[in-house]
Amino acid sequence: SKANALLLAQALDAAHPKIITEFSEAVSVLDSGRIPVMVPHIAGASCEATAALAAEYLGGTLVNLTDVKGILSSTAKKAKLLKSISFDELLDLSLDLSLEPEGEAVFDTFAAQIIKRSRIKALVLKAEDVENLEAALTGREFGGTRIE
């Protein structure tokens, strides 16, 4: 949401102050050395699919800040947090979870297909933990899931 994007932009010192809504705008922001925080909207696409398309367009890493710690192995109570997952495993998991009554994948099947086809590296982590986000963005150990 735009409110979450504003909070993120305020939390990141290097973030561009304006929330970006078009992929093409992000290029000039990146060229200026700033981090674009985006809230693009593509009719009919989930936020995750739109983010995957943005990462594909920009040739960048997708960072999905969500309300869970990362990607879980299933919806079962004994599900494990996956520290790393391949593109194929991500797509398989998104398909499996979309068929379960309680299934809610971090990435829907369309987003997972985009990530797989362009081999977009992605990180999934809890939105509330800014220090964890900083660790992930600077290549340090972080709590969450790496997709590659």
Side-chain angles (χ1 to χ4, degrees):
S1 73
K2 191 162 186 173
N4 287 340
L6 287 168
L7 288 172
L8 177 61
Q10 290 173 352
L12 297 174
D13 291 335
H16 184 68
K18 179 183 176 228
I19 303 303
I20 305 301
T21 58
E22 299 292 330
F23 298 157
S24 58
E25 291 177 87
V27 175
S28 62
V29 171
L30 287 167
D31 288 344
S32 74
R34 306 293 288 191
I35 298 171
V37 177
M38 301 181 68
V39 182
H41 178 71
I42 298 175
S46 68
C47 293
E48 292 76 16
T50 302
L53 289 168
E56 181 179 56
Y57 179 86
L58 297 168
T61 299
L62 189 159
V63 179
N64 186 350
L65 300 176
T66 184
D67 60 350
V68 294
K69 292 181 181 179
I71 296 175
L72 300 176
S73 59
S74 72
T75 57
K77 288 185 180 185
K78 294 182 180 182
K80 294 181 187 176
L81 175 66
L82 301 172
K83 296 293 281 173
S84 180
I85 188 170
S86 72
F87 301 119
D88 288 328
E89 290 168 327
L90 175 68
L91 182 56
D92 290 345
L93 188 59
S94 74
L95 287 166
D96 290 346
L97 291 177
S98 69
L99 298 175
E100 292 183 22
E102 300 295 319
E104 187 175 317
V106 172
F107 289 104
D108 59 76
T109 303
F110 182 44
Q113 288 173 328
I114 296 163
I115 291 167
K116 180 182 174 183
R117 83 170 174 214
S118 293
R119 305 187 64 75
I120 298 166
K121 292 184 179 178
L123 309 173
V124 179
L125 52 154
K126 195 162 182 102
E128 299 155 355
D129 190 345
V130 176
E131 290 177 11
N132 191 43
L133 171 62
E134 185 178 321
L137 294 177
T138 57
R140 295 177 300 170
E141 185 75 23
F142 73 97
T145 304
R146 182 179 307 278
I147 302 165
E148 49 189 4

